[in-house]
């Protein structure tokens, strides 16, 4: 068993505050000459946002079998080789500790092969007792560029490719956008179904194919069509039955890059749009659902930043992020903190502000701001894995307040998660001038009808994942959430952060 490595990635260019024009360069750790610097310290057998010894985590393909969640993933090796994105495997029972099985399905070693690059797919245990992997074979030199390919295994770790089973798009669908197969079996149909992300009539659709033997597939038409008013592809679809409902999830490739879900009473729909149809912001992508019958999870990834710098845009691939999903009486789902993670982080630390605005008050673990311009209370730096909790009350419903990391000399965060009451949003700013910059991430969130905001925030390995009122998650890449100070703040907004606690 390989221990999962945590990646504390150093180096960030951070900009100054509300009107401050200077630039500082902060280094959290020594950098080496290549991306192999990712491998850092291990945290025993536990890690909140894993990567792999094989590389960063790209699109995930969770498969539950015999007590284990087998999370296959596209390994983002960034090694400059001709082939790329082999399938790796992480195995877990609770999403706190993992076995790293390394690469289990590699890309071809021939540039003329369809699968010189691998893409997303899925794994199923067939009626023949074997495991079947269906994956995307991608070759930019080919027309068509993409095809669905097949491999079999008896142990989930050693796979035999079956190139003669390769499936190409027919004339009904895009020849070059034909990927991310998701295979499942339905007793009512007495057959297997395969969902494929593709395009038809210049719009993103999810096509359905059917089979009785997992080798020959028939086109069963469009399963689901983009219903968001865009022409975006619907990447990484998954569909499953959970406690009386069928759920379909997918990620819009553009313009927002969010993970969406739909609800139906039957596997073939009709699928309806819930009032809040997303789980997280664009810091969480390519989420796939999986269940053990009792618990339902969605597993995706949080990207690194270009040049590994907080102020830059997101890159492809990063750390794995998993949300436990709560099912409500009306069938809707919402992401919540995994209780296994909460139990892991059980060592409560003493918390005391090391700096605070003169108008702020700290008493019995609570911090209050009066609404005077910018007010902030800061705590000492964090290094490691933490759970931060607070309940926000007595806030201006059209106010602006939140959490800041890596504060500058004027006690303003260079990284900020902001509740923006006036605009009904939660925002993430990867720069300190939040009054003039455009948020890098946001989700719609109306606080006008709320009297309190229960916040649970996981902080580890350059990733911050926040849960609010068991309704929405908010994940962001912040390299300097490690080895730098953090705090709470208000901008001209009365607000009280009550019962502040931090656990390690």
């Amino acid at each position: 068993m390989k221990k999962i490595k945590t990646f504390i990635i150093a180096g960030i260019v951070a900009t100054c505050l509300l009107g401050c024009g200077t630039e500082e360069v902060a280094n959290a750790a020594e950098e080496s000459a290549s991306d192999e610097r990712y491998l850092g310290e291990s945290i025993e057998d536990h890690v909140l946002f894993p990567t792999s010894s094989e590389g960063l985590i790209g699109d995930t393909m969770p498969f539950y079998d015999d007590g284990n969640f087998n999370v296959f993933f596209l390994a983002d090796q960034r090694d400059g080789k001709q082939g790329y994105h082999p399938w790796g495997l992480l195995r877990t029972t609770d999403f706190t500790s993992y076995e790293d099985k390394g690469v289990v399905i590699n890309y071809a070693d021939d540039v003329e092969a369809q699968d010189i690059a691998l893409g997303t797919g899925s794994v199923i245990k067939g009626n023949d007792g074997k495991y079947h992997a269906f994956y995307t074979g991608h070759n930019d030199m080919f027309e068509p560029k993409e095809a669905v390919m097949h491999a079999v295994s008896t142990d989930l770790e050693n796979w035999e490719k079956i190139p003669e089973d390769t499936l190409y798009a027919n004339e009904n669908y895009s020849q070059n956008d034909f990927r991310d197969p998701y295979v499942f079996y339905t007793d009512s149909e007495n057959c297997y179904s395969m969902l494929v992300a593709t395009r038809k009539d210049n719009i993103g659709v999810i096509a359905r194919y059917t089979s009785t033997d997992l080798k020959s597939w028939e086109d069963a038409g469009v399963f689901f069509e983009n219903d968001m008013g865009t022409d975006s592809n619907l990447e990484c679809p998954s569909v499953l039955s959970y406690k009386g409902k069928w759920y379909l999830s997918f990620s819009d490739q553009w313009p927002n890059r969010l993970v969406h879900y739909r609800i139906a009473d039957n596997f073939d729909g009709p699928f309806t749009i819930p009032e809040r149809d997303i789980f997280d912001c664009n810091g969480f992508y390519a989420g796939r659902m999986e269940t053990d019958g009792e618990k339902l999870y969605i597993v995706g990834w949080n990207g690194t930043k270009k040049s590994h710098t907080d102020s830059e845009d997101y890159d492809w691939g990063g750390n794995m992020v998993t949300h436990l999903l709560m099912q409500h009486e009306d069938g809707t789902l919402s992401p919540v903190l995994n209780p296994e993670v909460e139990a892991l982080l059980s060592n409560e630390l003493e918390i005391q502000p090391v700096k605070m605005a003169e108008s702020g008050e700290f008493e019995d673990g609570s911090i209050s701001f009066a609404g005077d311009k910018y007010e902030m209370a800061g705590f000492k730096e964090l290094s490691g894995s933490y759970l931060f909790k607070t309940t926000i009350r007595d806030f201006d419903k059209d106010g602006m307040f939140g959490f800041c990391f890596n504060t500058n000399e004027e006690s303003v965060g260079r990284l900020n998660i902001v509740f923006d009451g006036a605009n009904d949003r939660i925002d993430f700013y990867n720069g300190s001038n939040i009054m003039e910059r455009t948020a890098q991430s946001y989700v719609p969130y109306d606080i006008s009808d709320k009297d309190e905001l229960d916040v649970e925030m996981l902080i580890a390995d350059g990733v911050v994942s926040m849960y609010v009122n068991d309704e929405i998650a908010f994940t962001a890449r912040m390299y300097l959430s490690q080895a730098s100070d953090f705090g709470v703040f208000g901008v001209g907004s009365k607000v009280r952060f009550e019962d502040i606690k931090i656990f390690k």
Side-chain angles (χ1 to χ4, degrees):
M1 170 178 168
K2 300 178 185 177
K3 288 186 178 180
I4 290 295
K5 301 295 185 179
T6 63
F7 298 162
I8 300 174
I9 305 172
I12 167 177
V13 177
T15 55
C16 231
L17 154 82
L18 305 155
C20 175
T22 64
E23 183 177 85
E24 299 177 1
V25 178
N27 291 311
E30 291 295 325
E31 293 187 355
S32 63
S34 74
D35 281 344
E36 292 178 0
R37 68 179 179 275
Y38 293 145
L39 296 179
E41 297 180 359
S42 63
I43 304 178
E44 299 180 347
D45 293 323
H46 299 284
V47 62
L48 303 186
F49 306 115
T51 56
S52 167
S53 59
E54 297 295 341
L56 298 172
I57 304 294
D59 297 353
T60 58
M61 299 154 274
F63 168 63
Y64 180 78
D65 180 66
D66 193 25
N68 291 304
F69 288 93
N70 300 277
V71 184
F72 297 89
F73 62 93
L74 301 185
D76 188 15
Q77 296 174 320
R78 303 187 186 181
D79 55 9
K81 293 182 179 179
Q82 181 75 32
Y84 57 94
H85 292 169
W87 276 29
L89 172 60
L90 299 178
R91 182 169 290 152
T92 182
T93 60
D94 58 6
F95 293 97
T96 69
S97 60
Y98 300 82
E99 290 181 86
D100 186 354
K101 296 296 184 178
V103 168
V104 294
I105 304 180
N106 214 338
Y107 50 77
D109 56 8
D110 180 2
V111 295
E112 298 295 325
Q114 178 67 58
D115 58 347
I116 188 63
L118 301 193
T120 312
S122 64
V123 172
I124 187 172
K125 189 172 187 179
N127 292 332
D128 59 1
K130 295 181 180 180
Y131 299 102
H132 296 257
F134 294 88
Y135 61 95
T136 306
H138 183 98
N139 193 323
D140 282 326
M141 296 187 299
F142 277 17
E143 288 289 338
K145 291 181 173 61
E146 294 184 330
V148 172
M149 305 186 76
H150 184 200
V152 296
S153 173
T154 58
D155 62 4
L156 295 172
E157 297 178 34
N158 298 281
W159 293 86
E160 178 187 355
K161 295 180 179 180
I162 310 177
E164 60 267 28
D165 289 352
T166 300
L167 175 67
Y168 292 93
N170 60 30
E171 66 278 0
N172 294 327
Y173 308 115
S174 168
Q175 302 293 298
N176 291 324
D177 284 297
F178 193 74
R179 59 180 173 273
D180 305 346
Y182 181 87
V183 178
F184 61 102
Y185 185 84
T186 51
D187 291 325
S188 61
E189 298 273 314
N190 195 30
C191 72
Y192 299 95
S193 291
M194 177 194 292
L195 303 186
V196 182
T198 185
R199 298 184 67 76
K200 181 180 176 64
D201 299 329
N202 295 317
I203 192 171
V205 300
I206 298 172
R208 179 187 174 216
Y209 285 75
T210 60
S211 174
T212 58
D213 60 5
L214 294 172
K215 292 180 68 67
S216 301
W217 295 91
E218 294 185 4
D219 181 9
V222 172
F223 181 80
F224 185 81
E225 183 177 297
N226 187 328
D227 61 357
M228 298 176 291
T230 71
D231 64 348
S232 172
N233 290 329
L234 309 178
E235 294 193 306
C236 303
S238 61
V239 66
L240 53 71
S241 175
Y242 179 72
K243 296 187 176 180
K245 293 289 185 181
W246 281 86
Y247 296 97
L248 170 69
S249 68
F250 55 86
S251 296
D252 68 291
Q253 190 176 1
W254 63 79
N256 297 316
R257 294 185 65 79
L258 300 171
V259 180
H260 304 260
Y261 81 102
R262 303 289 184 261
I263 308 173
D265 293 324
N266 302 291
F267 90 91
D268 54 352
F271 284 91
T272 60
I273 307 175
E275 182 177 357
R276 180 181 288 112
D277 81 316
I278 59 174
F279 301 113
D280 204 326
C281 64
N282 65 0
F284 176 82
Y285 193 69
R288 278 277 184 83
M289 296 182 297
E290 184 58 302
T291 181
D292 59 4
E294 291 299 320
K295 295 180 179 179
L296 177 64
Y297 298 89
I298 189 157
V299 187
W301 51 266
N302 170 252
T304 57
K305 295 287 187 70
K306 293 180 179 178
S307 302
H308 306 300
T309 301
D310 275 323
S311 59
E312 294 293 328
D313 292 332
Y314 275 111
D315 217 331
W316 191 93
N319 293 65
M320 192 174 93
V321 176
T322 302
H323 299 313
L324 177 66
L325 297 179
M326 175 191 295
Q327 185 187 57
H328 302 281
E329 289 185 5
D330 62 357
T332 58
L333 303 173
S334 61
V336 298
L337 177 65
N338 182 352
E340 300 286 348
V341 171
E342 186 172 11
L344 179 65
L345 300 172
S346 59
N347 181 26
E348 185 173 356
L349 306 180
E350 181 180 356
I351 190 162
Q352 180 81 22
V354 295
K355 57 183 175 181
M356 188 165 61
E358 291 184 2
S359 53
E361 295 183 3
F362 176 74
E363 183 179 6
D364 296 330
S366 297
I367 291 172
S368 299
F369 296 135
D372 295 338
K373 298 181 180 179
Y374 179 79
E375 298 168 286
M376 180 267 190
F379 307 99
K380 67 179 182 180
E381 66 183 34
L382 302 175
S383 292
S385 301
Y386 293 86
L387 171 62
F388 176 90
K389 290 185 175 184
T390 187
T391 299
I392 307 174
R393 293 191 176 96
D394 300 331
F395 50 85
D396 292 337
K397 297 300 178 71
D398 60 352
M400 182 178 286
F401 50 86
F403 306 94
C404 53
F405 295 84
N406 186 225
T407 59
N408 60 22
E409 65 277 3
E410 295 184 81
S411 297
V412 176
R414 298 175 175 91
L415 302 163
N416 298 276
I417 296 177
V418 182
F419 289 88
D420 185 351
N423 294 298
D424 297 331
R425 290 163 46 128
I426 302 174
D427 295 316
F428 168 61
Y429 292 89
N430 59 333
S432 54
N433 196 339
I434 64 176
M435 306 306 292
E436 296 182 7
R437 286 178 62 106
T438 299
Q440 186 170 53
S441 305
Y442 77 92
V443 293
Y445 194 74
D446 185 1
I447 65 173
S448 63
D449 61 347
K450 303 182 189 308
D451 293 323
E452 61 183 38
L453 302 169
D454 288 316
V455 173
E456 298 166 306
M457 187 182 301
L458 295 175
I459 305 166
D461 305 326
V463 179
V464 175
S465 197
M466 178 178 75
Y467 300 90
V468 183
N469 280 2
D470 287 343
E471 292 178 334
I472 193 72
F474 197 90
T475 302
R477 170 69 57 175
M478 303 187 207
Y479 295 116
L480 284 184
S481 60
Q482 291 288 316
S484 69
D485 56 1
F486 75 107
V488 297
F489 71 91
V491 181
S493 177
K494 178 185 174 184
V495 62
R496 179 175 175 85
F497 297 85
E498 293 188 357
D499 198 23
I500 297 173
K501 294 182 178 180
I502 191 162
F503 303 86
K504 185 173 174 63

